[in-house]
Amino acid sequence: MARILITSAIPYINGIKHLGNLVGSQLPADLYARYMRARGHEVMFICATDEHGTPAELAAKKAGKPVDEFCAEMHEVQAKIGAGFGLSFDHFGRSSSPQNHKLTQYFAGRLADEGLIEEVSEQQVYSHADGRFLPDRYIEGTCPNCGYDKARGDQCENCTKQLDPTDLIEPRSAISGSTDLEVRDTKHLYLKQSQLKDRLSEWIDTKTDWPVLTTSIAKKWLHDGDGLQDRGITRDLDWGVPVKRGDDDWPGMEGKVFYVWFDAPIEYIAATKEWADKTGGDWESWWRTDKGADDVRYVQFMGKDNVPFHTLSFPATIMGSNAPWKLVDYIKSFNYLNYDGGQFSTSQGRGIFQDQALEILPADYWRWWLLSHAPENSDSEFTWENFQAGVNKDLADVLGNFVSRVTKFCRSKFSEAVPNGGAFGETEKALIDDLTTKIRAYESYMHDMEVRKAANELRGIWVAGNEYLQAEAPWTVFKTDPDKAAGQIRLALNLIRVYAVLSAPFIPEASAKMLSGMNTLDTSWPDDVEAALTALPAGHSFTVPEVLFAKITDEQREDWAERFAGTRD
RNA sequence: GGCGUUAUAGCUCAGUUGGUUAGAGCGAACGACUCAUAAUCGUUAGGUCGGUGGUUCAAGUCCACCUAACGCCA
């Protein structure tokens, strides 16, 4: 039995995410977590909401709420949606938690002790009316070059000239419109990532088994241009983790917070501590290599936009701390999912949001389609036609109908109990060999996180059951040799349990229904397929389950395609 | 403007280090079956692998240029 630590990139707090966010990290992470648990491994599956930073403040302001209240509410909303999709987190934390404050301050202190933090003086525009500093794009004014009156502090959109905030004529706050501004000196902490460049580079070079997408992005950041740059880790904001050096105050840093990119990944650790504080579990045995984590395999899931933070920034924090914290062992990254020929767009309301998806169909429909079309090698495409075809064919026709035809046949010809009689013959042996080959391939793909290939293999396993029935035709056999037909159906009924166990990582709700229909709690993995196909003995009662997957009609498809084409109401 | 990614059957995608007649699923046509959610199973048709040129005994697979789509950056 292995110990596996799994984290999914933590979603930002400022709104409900679309399906592209789901398929790029949380969903495949959940698939992997469920599979590893099913194989008997000890799993710690962690996710959280990423709550700090300016966008959270602005979203709260727009909602007319204090930012902490807003974040607490949005966290609940996201937690509920995650549960709706069956995401089986051991803990879904919050980056604003006290645990994360403490750990973030601890890491900053460690980095400072190691000489990896530098204080840098900068000039920033301060707004008296807003009571805060304004990052470049929060200042507007007239462009000195072309006279455009809505130029931003970093660039004029009209003439594309790059600007400095102090260049603007009649500058004003983009938040309040106030012109009561002044340029102030401010000090910030920088993490000297450049000093860690060689260690990071060496470390990345050892990761020869990582997907090319992951390592190529990391190497690009390491080596392009002047190489890995030092980076500011503090901001002049109210909302965030107050800057402290461990438990001590940090002279000159009063009133400042850590920049969101610095505290967010530390939340992976802090969320595990949140879990421990709640359950009494041992969080350090997952994260401290001196306290039991040396045998942990740590796997991260994320979209490609998050790769630089997880291959460089977060490892820089861990390595730079010079303390025995667990580094990631494997990073599985995903490309983007496009929507009907374009991008999903949060701002334009284009595409399907997670809450809407759950309103129109059960989670398993989405889980199956999204995972079987996961954008692993390149950006992939969601179309309603494809979604309808995939779900109807795979789930309703191949799997759902298999369950239906077997249980109903048994009920009508025998009873609602596994029938007695018959024995495995040549065809059954052949089926068992075929299934064994396919299940071993499925295990291999799941182990390697080859999501699409695993889905394809699973589908093949479902098809094998229909092939068997079609070839053996128990409905014909029954007329002349009911005993033989009984043996065939007993095998088919057992196949339903095996399918439920194998399919659970992809479609947990339907699997639970199948097991419940078969009236069994036996979720043992089919290591030995022949034995697994006799788990339900003759005489074991069952009930014909309700329809597992209703088909998506053309009317529904057209209706939804129109509804999600643009602007969210 | 700079950098990068992608371009394979009607659709969504596989194609390992270049090597026999380029694969899968869906869709289509035809056939079988009737237990089942008009479901299932089988057979067949469909591609000059975006274009041009090059390297090689051999290129979808490497190189150059072109075109198109997309992404990132200042």
Side-chain angles (χ1 to χ4, degrees), chain A residues 7-46:
Chain A
T7 61
S8 160
I10 64 178
Y12 199 67
I13 193 72
N14 66 340
I16 291 168
K17 303 297 160 191
H18 52 65
L19 292 180
N21 297 105
L22 189 68
V23 73
S25 55
Q26 292 173 317
L27 207 45
D30 183 67
L31 180 78
Y32 188 62
R34 284 177 178 272
Y35 173 73
M36 284 302 175
R37 288 193 199 105
R39 299 308 306 279
H41 300 300
E42 191 184 352
V43 168
M44 177 59 64
F45 180 25
I46 291 293

Side-chain angles (χ1 to χ4, degrees), chain A residues 193-253:
Chain A
Q193 297 186 134
S194 56
Q195 292 199 3
L196 292 162
K197 182 186 161 190
D198 292 342
R199 279 178 71 186
L200 286 166
S201 183
E202 246 170 64
W203 176 67
I204 293 288
D205 285 340
T206 65
K207 303 301 179 186
T208 50
D209 61 328
W210 285 11
V212 180
L213 178 67
T214 304
T215 49
S216 68
I217 292 174
K219 285 177 180 172
K220 181 172 169 354
W221 280 62
L222 272 171
H223 304 303
D224 269 18
D226 299 329
L228 191 62
Q229 296 297 300
D230 295 345
R231 229 178 142 179
I233 60 166
T234 54
R235 280 286 176 238
D236 289 297
L237 298 172
D238 296 327
W239 177 239
V241 178
V243 177
K244 291 180 93 175
R245 183 167 176 163
D247 295 329
D248 304 326
D249 289 337
W250 203 312
M253 289 292 133

Side-chain angles (χ1 to χ4, degrees), chain A residues 319-376:
Chain A
M319 280 182 186
S321 76
N322 203 19
W325 295 94
K326 181 79 192 154
L327 272 171
V328 66
D329 293 304
Y330 191 84
I331 293 180
K332 174 75 177 180
S333 57
F334 289 84
N335 288 285
Y336 294 140
L337 179 70
N338 289 322
Y339 180 79
D340 233 348
Q343 284 186 292
F344 276 85
S345 167
T346 304
S347 58
Q348 291 170 34
R350 189 163 189 284
I352 313 152
F353 288 79
Q354 294 180 10
D355 56 338
Q356 299 170 323
L358 289 175
E359 277 166 27
I360 62 176
L361 287 170
D364 282 353
Y365 287 65
W366 299 107
R367 290 179 65 104
W368 173 253
W369 192 89
L370 289 169
L371 287 168
S372 62
H373 293 76
E376 290 177 294

Side-chain angles (χ1 to χ4, degrees), chain A residues 166-423:
Chain A
T166 49
D167 296 337
L168 292 171
I169 301 164
E170 293 174 9
R172 60 184 182 273
S173 163
I175 300 169
S176 63
S178 167
T179 55
D180 186 11
L181 311 176
E182 73 169 83
V183 177
R184 286 189 184 177
D185 285 332
T186 182
K187 261 202 284 187
H188 281 294
L189 302 180
Y190 273 66
L191 174 59
K192 297 200 260 184
Q193 297 186 134
S194 56
Q195 292 199 3
L196 292 162
K197 182 186 161 190
D198 292 342
R199 279 178 71 186
L200 286 166
S201 183
E202 246 170 64
W203 176 67
I204 293 288
D205 285 340
T206 65
K207 303 301 179 186
T208 50
D209 61 328
W210 285 11
V212 180
L213 178 67
T214 304
T215 49
S216 68
I217 292 174
K219 285 177 180 172
K220 181 172 169 354
W221 280 62
L222 272 171
H223 304 303
D224 269 18
D226 299 329
L228 191 62
Q229 296 297 300
D230 295 345
R231 229 178 142 179
I233 60 166
T234 54
R235 280 286 176 238
D236 289 297
L237 298 172
D238 296 327
W239 177 239
V241 178
V243 177
K244 291 180 93 175
R245 183 167 176 163
D247 295 329
D248 304 326
D249 289 337
W250 203 312
M253 289 292 133
E254 295 80 7
K256 297 176 196 292
V257 300
F258 287 108
Y259 197 4
V260 59
W261 75 259
F262 184 70
D263 78 65
I266 295 172
E267 168 62 11
Y268 292 141
I269 305 175
T272 315
K273 187 163 190 309
E274 291 170 41
W275 163 84
D277 290 346
K278 197 175 74 177
T279 62
D282 178 3
W283 66 281
E284 289 184 309
S285 76
W286 291 99
W287 286 101
R288 293 282 299 203
T289 55
D290 59 338
K291 295 184 181 174
D294 45 332
D295 69 340
V296 168
R297 178 168 165 79
Y298 177 21
V299 181
Q300 294 176 337
F301 289 80
M302 71 199 67
K304 62 182 171 186
D305 52 327
N306 263 314
V307 169
F309 292 100
H310 290 78
T311 52
L312 303 171
S313 303
F314 187 39
T317 300
I318 298 283
M319 280 182 186
S321 76
N322 203 19
W325 295 94
K326 181 79 192 154
L327 272 171
V328 66
D329 293 304
Y330 191 84
I331 293 180
K332 174 75 177 180
S333 57
F334 289 84
N335 288 285
Y336 294 140
L337 179 70
N338 289 322
Y339 180 79
D340 233 348
Q343 284 186 292
F344 276 85
S345 167
T346 304
S347 58
Q348 291 170 34
R350 189 163 189 284
I352 313 152
F353 288 79
Q354 294 180 10
D355 56 338
Q356 299 170 323
L358 289 175
E359 277 166 27
I360 62 176
L361 287 170
D364 282 353
Y365 287 65
W366 299 107
R367 290 179 65 104
W368 173 253
W369 192 89
L370 289 169
L371 287 168
S372 62
H373 293 76
E376 290 177 294
N377 296 316
S378 61
D379 291 358
S380 67
E381 180 85 7
F382 177 95
T383 67
W384 283 101
E385 287 76 10
N386 226 277
F387 176 70
Q388 178 194 29
V391 164
N392 285 356
K393 190 70 187 174
D394 298 344
L395 295 182
D397 294 347
V398 175
L399 177 63
N401 181 56
F402 178 81
V403 173
S404 188
R405 68 193 296 200
V406 170
T407 53
K408 285 182 180 171
F409 179 79
C410 186
R411 180 174 62 183
S412 76
K413 302 299 187 212
F414 300 98
S415 67
E416 275 189 292
V418 178
N420 194 13

